[in-house]
């Protein structure tokens, strides 16, 4: 079985280089029928390939698919055959390091369509394959071609609005997954995995290869690589530490039913049912005083030793300034480590 398949409508610059690709119906683990027909009609010869398909090829592909269960893909191929934009049929036999822009876009679509979870697809080397573009009300534009396009628009009495200049577009221009609310769509990049029941408020942000499992209120930043468990809330302007630059190599995650207070931050993964006090930033090396139920000191350890442990409440003692950790009272089970010395 192959890894992924997608019929994409894209943009190219004047040098016929791919800028971006929109896959309306990406497929994870396409079956052998689809691959065989792609071989017979599109010239697919195995491996990972983005095929710039002609209208004739797409029609032949759609015809051949007619006798299979892939009616939705057949319909899409027929529509793509009428496209006045370039069409890329991208086939990934394996999840290898991407080697073209259409391949990267297919991987980002798999994430945002919730077909794979963050860390479930290989994304190394993608920055080199994603051109930095002007994302405008008239689509993606190569930055070298932007001044001329701006002039042309003005000459015709229009304004070309540049919404962002970035390697990643906003997710919602490609897919709006079911059951989400996103107050400011510019804050969620393509490649984000936004679980059903998630609300992202204006201050919230979700990077690519990051996201939420299910119901969550996101008013803080979900950095690349970070996954937030079901029922967990990120308070206003809080921060989850990414691993892309300067950070450690611990993959940050938040368990289920956690609360990161407003302006709080984490540089360690949290287990289920943890709370971080508003304004407290815990880094991996932060020295933490473990307190028992009577607020007596049990021991001082580094926050990294509490990584992934459930039922913890982190706070900064407002009188001493020391970072403290107690059993989270809302937790159902008591944390053994905190009570080992009771
Ligand atoms: C950390 C936090 C969860 C504690 O809340 P809580 O469990 O309700 O605790 P309380 O405020 O009732 O305090 C319990 C006791 O601890 C004390 N306490 C609380 N925070 C303390 C601190 N930082 N230092 C010292 N003592 C503290 C209280 O004074 C109180 O003492 P008492 O038993 O003598 O009355 C809460 O302060 C917090 O930061 N919540 C985050 C909310 C948030 O940001 N939501 C997102 C909105 S966008």
């Amino acid at each position: 079985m192959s890894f992924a398949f997608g019929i994409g409508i894209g943009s190219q610059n004047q040098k016929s280089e791919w800028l971006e690709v929109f896959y309306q119906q990406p497929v994870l683990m396409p079956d052998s029928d689809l691959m065989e027909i792609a071989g017979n009609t599109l010239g697919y010869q195995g491996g990972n390939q983005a095929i710039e398909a002609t209208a004739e090829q797409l029609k032949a592909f759609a015809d051949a698919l007619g006798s299979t269960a892939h009616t939705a893909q057949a319909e899409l191929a027929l529509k793509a055959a009428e496209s006045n934009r370039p069409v890329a049929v991208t086939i990934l036999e394996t999840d290898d390091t991407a080697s073209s822009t259409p391949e990267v876009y297919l991987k980002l679509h798999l994430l945002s369509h919730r077909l794979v979870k963050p860390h479930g697809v290989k994304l190394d080397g993608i920055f080199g394959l994603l051109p930095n573009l002007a994302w405008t009300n008239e689509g993606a534009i190569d930055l070298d071609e932007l001044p001329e396009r701006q002039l042309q628009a003005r000459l015709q009495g229009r304004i070309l609005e540049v919404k962002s200049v970035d390697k990643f577009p906003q997710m919602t221009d490609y897919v709006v997954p079911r059951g989400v609310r996103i107050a400011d769509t510019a804050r969620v990049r393509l490649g984000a995995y936004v679980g059903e029941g998630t609300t992202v408020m204006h201050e919230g942000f979700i990077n690519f290869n990051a996201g939420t499992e299910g119901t969550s209120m996101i008013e803080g930043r979900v950095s690349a690589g970070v996954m937030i468990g079901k029922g967990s809330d990120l308070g206003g302007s809080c921060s989850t530490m990414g691993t892309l630059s300067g950070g450690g190599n611990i993959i940050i995650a938040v368990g289920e039913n956690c609360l990161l207070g407003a302006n709080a931050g984490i540089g360690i993964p949290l287990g289920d049912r943890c709370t971080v006090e508003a304004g407290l930033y815990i880094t991996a090396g932060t020295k933490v005083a473990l307190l028992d139920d009577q607020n007596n000191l049990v021991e001082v350890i580094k926050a990294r030793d509490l990584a992934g442990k459930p039922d913890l409440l982190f706070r900064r003692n407002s009188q001493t300034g020391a970072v403290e950790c107690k059993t989270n009272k809302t937790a159902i089970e008591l944390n053994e480590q905190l009570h080992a010395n009771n």
Side-chain angles (χ1 to χ4, degrees), residues 4-282:
F5 171 89
I7 300 172
I9 315 297
S11 323
Q12 294 180 340
N13 62 12
Q14 286 169 358
K15 293 184 216 150
S16 300
E17 294 161 338
W18 287 105
L19 301 181
E20 54 81 54
V21 183
F22 165 73
Y23 298 96
Q24 193 215 27
Q25 296 175 41
V27 181
L28 182 69
M29 305 293 174
D31 64 21
S32 50
D33 278 358
L34 204 56
M35 294 303 96
E36 204 179 304
I37 292 170
N40 294 339
T41 58
L42 303 174
Y44 172 62
Q45 290 170 350
N48 294 354
Q49 227 184 316
I51 300 163
E52 207 170 323
T54 63
E56 288 65 39
Q57 284 178 315
L58 288 164
K59 280 181 194 148
F61 180 63
D63 276 355
L65 280 182
S67 56
T68 70
H70 297 289
T71 48
Q73 293 295 328
E75 277 173 33
L76 182 57
L78 276 184
K79 288 178 189 161
E82 304 298 320
S83 170
N84 58 15
R85 313 287 301 174
V87 175
V89 179
T90 303
I91 304 171
L92 302 181
E93 190 175 5
T94 56
D95 183 21
D96 272 340
T97 303
S99 60
S100 68
T101 305
E103 289 179 31
V104 178
Y105 269 83
L106 181 55
K107 291 185 177 208
L108 296 177
H109 278 72
L110 293 178
L111 284 156
S112 290
H113 277 259
R114 300 184 188 140
L115 293 170
V116 295
K117 297 232 167 115
H119 303 286
V121 63
K122 219 168 168 213
L123 294 176
D124 55 312
I126 64 167
F127 284 96
L129 295 168
L130 290 173
N132 190 27
L133 300 173
W135 300 95
T136 78
N137 57 324
E138 294 183 10
I141 299 180
D142 188 307
L143 290 178
D144 289 339
E145 296 167 14
L146 182 64
E148 187 56 29
R149 290 284 297 270
Q150 284 172 316
L151 178 66
Q152 288 306 322
R154 292 281 177 162
L155 290 172
Q156 291 159 17
R158 290 180 289 113
I159 286 189
L160 189 66
E161 188 197 347
V162 179
K163 297 188 286 180
S164 72
V165 179
D166 194 5
K167 283 178 174 270
F168 292 79
Q170 64 183 48
M171 179 188 79
T172 51
D173 284 352
Y174 292 77
V175 55
V176 177
R178 195 174 290 276
V180 303
R181 197 147 65 87
I182 302 174
D184 181 352
T185 49
R187 306 276 301 171
V188 180
R189 282 171 130 189
L190 181 65
Y193 181 107
V194 188
E196 187 159 3
T198 297
T199 295
V200 186
M201 291 305 287
H202 300 78
E203 193 60 28
F205 167 76
I206 308 184
N207 211 336
F208 72 96
N209 199 30
T212 55
E213 286 276 2
T215 308
S216 271
M217 172 62 77
I218 304 298
E219 300 190 72
R221 298 184 298 281
V222 183
S223 300
V226 177
M227 193 64 177
I228 310 295
K230 280 192 188 121
S232 288
D233 289 354
L234 265 57
S237 297
C238 76
S239 149
T240 50
M241 213 183 264
T243 48
L244 290 179
S245 58
N249 48 11
I250 312 178
I251 294 176
I252 306 301
V254 172
E256 297 186 0
N257 299 313
C258 291
L259 171 65
L260 256 74
N263 280 343
I266 51 166
I268 57 163
L270 295 181
D272 294 340
R273 298 174 301 276
C274 289
T275 300
V276 181
E277 183 186 34
L280 170 61
Y281 209 117
I282 313 163

Side-chain angles (χ1 to χ4, degrees), residues 219 235-236 259 261-262 275 277-278 313 315-318:
E219 300 190 72
L259 171 65
T275 300
E277 183 186 34
L313 167 68
R315 68 177 194 192
R316 184 181 294 280
N317 188 301
S318 57

